Amino acid sequence: MIHISPLKRSKLLVFANLMLLFRVNATALRDGHHISAIKELKQLVPPPSKSELGGEEADNEAYARFLSINKWDAIKTEPNIRESFKWRRRVKPGTIRPRDCPILCRQHAWIALTTGPGSKMIYDDNNKNKNNQQQLPLDPPYNCPPLQSWRTTKHGLPITYFRCWMWRPNEASNEESERHLAYHIHHLIRRMPRNVSRICVVFDMRGFEGWMLPYIHRCINILRMHYPGRAGAMCFINW
């Protein structure tokens, strides 16, 4: 966990709420055409079991998210969702834990914001002592720490705060980078209140460097291909 001053925390929440360009329930089924498209797509690509997908459920909303980016055309959507199910069978996002991506979780670049007693624990961002860094818990934890709760926007979107200056994706393998991103997205999905289907990420871009672009592009591709309709508020700040 990390200390974030009350002023900075309030700024993060202001940015998150001002830039909420989303519908809380992105996959609300509005008419018979949507329902028919889901049925057709399920016939083309039957839903795998939760165990096959590592704990994720291939429900109507999951099918609807993929259909919504293809104008509700089941034929066009078939290869997209089939490939995503194949990816999920391999990666199994719901089974990933911080110990499965220790290099990137130890960097503490991605912080799942919490509120409550104990959420202001302090450690030094500039500490270069490798032995001391090894003693820090891998972050974010799979379960919320005792007496704390995950922080959300006023509309219920779970918030993660990204610190660019702490991120060193070149230190990890491509496989760990993929697992780490899948872990974070599944982490955010688990934290969603009922009737919320999107996430909020606040990107603090201090320390951004050009060599990071290929890694960012890889992350965007995973989000685009396997998590359509999940991006609710993506806020970029630099102070």
Side-chain angles (χ1 to χ4, degrees), residues 88-126:
R88 283 174 159 80
R89 287 188 181 98
R90 177 174 60 84
V91 178
K92 296 186 180 299
T95 66
I96 301 172
R97 297 294 184 270
R99 63 178 177 270
D100 299 317
C101 32
I103 295 175
L104 294 172
C105 280
R106 191 166 282 117
Q107 292 176 356
H108 294 254
W110 298 83
I111 305 296
L113 298 186
T114 62
T115 182
S119 61
K120 297 181 180 179
M121 295 177 64
I122 300 174
Y123 68 86
D124 186 1
D125 286 354
N126 298 316

Side-chain angles (χ1 to χ4, degrees), residues 180-191:
H180 188 246
L181 181 60
Y183 168 66
H184 269 285
I185 301 302
H186 191 76
H187 194 288
L188 284 159
I189 292 171
R190 288 192 307 109
R191 290 157 49 194

Side-chain angles (χ1 to χ4, degrees), residues 2 51 87 103 110 126 128 136 149 152 169 178 190 208 216:
I2 178 176
S51 60
W87 178 82
I103 295 175
W110 298 83
N126 298 316
K128 302 302 182 182
L136 294 172
S149 58
T152 66
E178 184 180 48
R190 288 192 307 109
F208 172 78
I216 293 174

Side-chain angles (χ1 to χ4, degrees), residues 129-141:
N129 188 322
K130 294 296 182 181
N131 293 328
N132 192 27
Q133 285 187 353
Q134 295 291 331
Q135 296 172 8
L136 294 172
L138 298 177
D139 195 75

Side-chain angles (χ1 to χ4, degrees), residues 191-233:
R191 290 157 49 194
M192 289 178 181
R194 189 175 181 180
N195 296 324
V196 173
S197 62
R198 298 201 178 197
I199 64 176
C200 173
V201 182
V202 180
F203 295 92
D204 192 332
M205 299 306 293
R206 287 178 295 171
F208 172 78
E209 297 180 25
W211 64 264
M212 296 177 175
L213 285 172
Y215 299 95
I216 293 174
H217 185 260
R218 188 178 304 153
C219 291
I220 291 173
N221 277 340
I222 291 174
L223 292 173
R224 179 176 59 83
M225 295 175 61
H226 306 300
Y227 294 96
R230 287 300 192 185

Side-chain angles (χ1 to χ4, degrees), residues 26-194:
T27 58
L29 305 182
R30 295 171 294 180
D31 55 39
H33 170 63
H34 292 173
I35 296 173
S36 298
I38 291 172
K39 289 181 178 179
E40 182 182 357
L41 185 57
K42 280 189 168 183
Q43 291 177 345
L44 295 170
V45 187
S49 66
K50 290 180 68 173
S51 60
E52 287 182 84
L53 303 184
E56 294 185 320
E57 185 174 359
D59 55 12
N60 284 352
E61 289 194 356
Y63 280 82
R65 278 191 291 274
F66 282 87
L67 283 163
S68 66
I69 62 172
N70 287 290
K71 298 182 179 180
W72 295 88
D73 186 322
I75 302 299
K76 290 183 179 178
T77 307
E78 178 190 359
N80 302 127
I81 198 166
R82 190 182 296 279
E83 182 61 30
S84 188
F85 284 159
K86 180 180 178 181
W87 178 82
R88 283 174 159 80
R89 287 188 181 98
R90 177 174 60 84
V91 178
K92 296 186 180 299
T95 66
I96 301 172
R97 297 294 184 270
R99 63 178 177 270
D100 299 317
C101 32
I103 295 175
L104 294 172
C105 280
R106 191 166 282 117
Q107 292 176 356
H108 294 254
W110 298 83
I111 305 296
L113 298 186
T114 62
T115 182
S119 61
K120 297 181 180 179
M121 295 177 64
I122 300 174
Y123 68 86
D124 186 1
D125 286 354
N126 298 316
N127 189 352
K128 302 302 182 182
N129 188 322
K130 294 296 182 181
N131 293 328
N132 192 27
Q133 285 187 353
Q134 295 291 331
Q135 296 172 8
L136 294 172
L138 298 177
D139 195 75
Y142 185 77
N143 297 307
C144 194
L147 305 179
Q148 299 181 38
S149 58
W150 302 119
R151 187 175 290 276
T152 66
T153 69
K154 66 180 180 181
H155 294 88
L157 275 72
I159 305 173
T160 285
Y161 174 46
F162 170 70
R163 304 182 296 170
C164 192
W165 69 93
M166 299 286 287
W167 189 47
R168 290 294 178 268
N170 56 310
E171 296 179 0
S173 66
N174 290 340
E175 291 75 16
E176 178 170 340
S177 295
E178 184 180 48
R179 288 195 304 270
H180 188 246
L181 181 60
Y183 168 66
H184 269 285
I185 301 302
H186 191 76
H187 194 288
L188 284 159
I189 292 171
R190 288 192 307 109
R191 290 157 49 194
M192 289 178 181
R194 189 175 181 180

